[in-house]
Structures are given as structure tokens and as C-alpha cells.
């Protein structure tokens, strides 16, 4: 039976087994590597927080555009069904049209699709081709 004597590796603490020593050594290396990477990164300030807030605002706007298209389509379809007695076909058709309109609104709001009637830098409109063709 051996006595529990502090070893020089663990600075006077209780003796550590081989696996614990290896784990603590890896943990120390990981801590040093993380500290070095943190030093290399620029400090985050108010400008970084504004970027995050702008991202949330953009996400909220895009989701609102999409949901609004679906809700308007569903409301028009439901109202049409009540007036014309065509239940549930009006709701189904207008719900699908609202879904498509929501997708187009999201694409337009995200800047991935030109708005109709807007001019590009080359003088052509957003929905015209430079060669004059329609598609």
C-alpha cells in the first residue's frame, strides 16, 4: 500500500492517476489554444451587436412577408367560398396562390429578384432582357 503523497506534477494536490494527468494536460493545451485564438480575433463591440440586430430584423421581415401572403390568400379564398358556395375549392386555390405570392415577396424583399418596373444600371428594366426578348 502506498501513501497519498503529492506529486510534483499536480502542485501539491492529491495524486492524479495517469488518465487524469493526460486529461488535465489536454485541457490546459485546449485552454491555451482558445486564449490564443481569442487574442487574434478583433474585440466585439456595438457594431457587431448592430449586425446581429439587423440580421434579426431582416429575418423577421422576411418571415412576415411570407406569412402575410399565405394569410391574405387564405382569407380571400375563404371569403370567396362563402360568397360563391364553392367550399373548399376557393380556399385551396387562393391558399396556393398566397403561398406563391409569399415566396415572391420574400425573394423580392431579400433582393434576389428585381421588382417589376425598376431599372437596372444598364438602363434596362428589372423584368426586361437586354436583347429585347421576353424569356
Amino acid at each position: 500500500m502506498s501513501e497519498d503523497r503529492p506529486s510534483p506534477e499536480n502542485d501539491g494536490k492529491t495524486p492524479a492517476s495517469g488518465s487524469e494527468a493526460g486529461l488535465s494536460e489536454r485541457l490546459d493545451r485546449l485552454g491555451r489554444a482558445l486564449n490564443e485564438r481569442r487574442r487574434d480575433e478583433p474585440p466585439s463591440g456595438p457594431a457587431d451587436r448592430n449586425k446581429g440586430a439587423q440580421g434579426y430584423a431582416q429575418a423577421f421581415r422576411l418571415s412576415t412577408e411570407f406569412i402575410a401572403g399565405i394569410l391574405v390568400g387564405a382569407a380571400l379564398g375563404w371569403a370567396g367560398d362563402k360568397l360563391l358556395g364553392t367550399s373548399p375549392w376557393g380556399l385551396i386555390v387562393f391558399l396556393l396562390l398566397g403561398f406563391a405570392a409569399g415566396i415572391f415577396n420574400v425573394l423580392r424583399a431579400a433582393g434576389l429578384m428585381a421588382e417589376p418596373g425598376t431599372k437596372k444600371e444598364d438602363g434596362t428594366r428589372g423584368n426586361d432582357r437586354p436583347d429585347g426578348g421576353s424569356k
Side-chain angles (χ1 to χ4, degrees), residues 62 65 100-115:
L62 295 178
E65 293 273 351
I103 290 174
F104 283 122
N105 284 340
V106 166
L107 291 175
R108 192 176 305 130
L112 299 176
M113 185 173 81
E115 293 188 29

Side-chain angles (χ1 to χ4, degrees), residues 84-128:
L84 302 174
T86 57
S87 185
W89 297 108
L91 179 65
I92 292 170
V93 169
F94 277 94
L95 188 65
L96 292 174
L97 287 174
F99 183 80
I103 290 174
F104 283 122
N105 284 340
V106 166
L107 291 175
R108 192 176 305 130
L112 299 176
M113 185 173 81
E115 293 188 29
T118 58
K119 290 193 174 189
K120 295 181 182 177
E121 290 179 14
D122 60 0
T124 61
R125 288 190 358 213
N127 52 359
D128 289 345

Side-chain angles (χ1 to χ4, degrees), residues 11-23:
D11 299 330
K13 298 176 185 165
T14 59
S17 66
S19 63
E20 287 181 16
L23 287 175

Side-chain angles (χ1 to χ4, degrees), residues 3 5 14-16 18 22 25-26 30 32 42-44 57 69 74 88 97 120-121 123 126:
E3 293 180 24
R5 283 187 241 149
T14 59
E25 180 183 329
R26 289 192 313 194
L30 178 63
R32 285 191 301 269
S44 63
L97 287 174
K120 295 181 182 177
E121 290 179 14

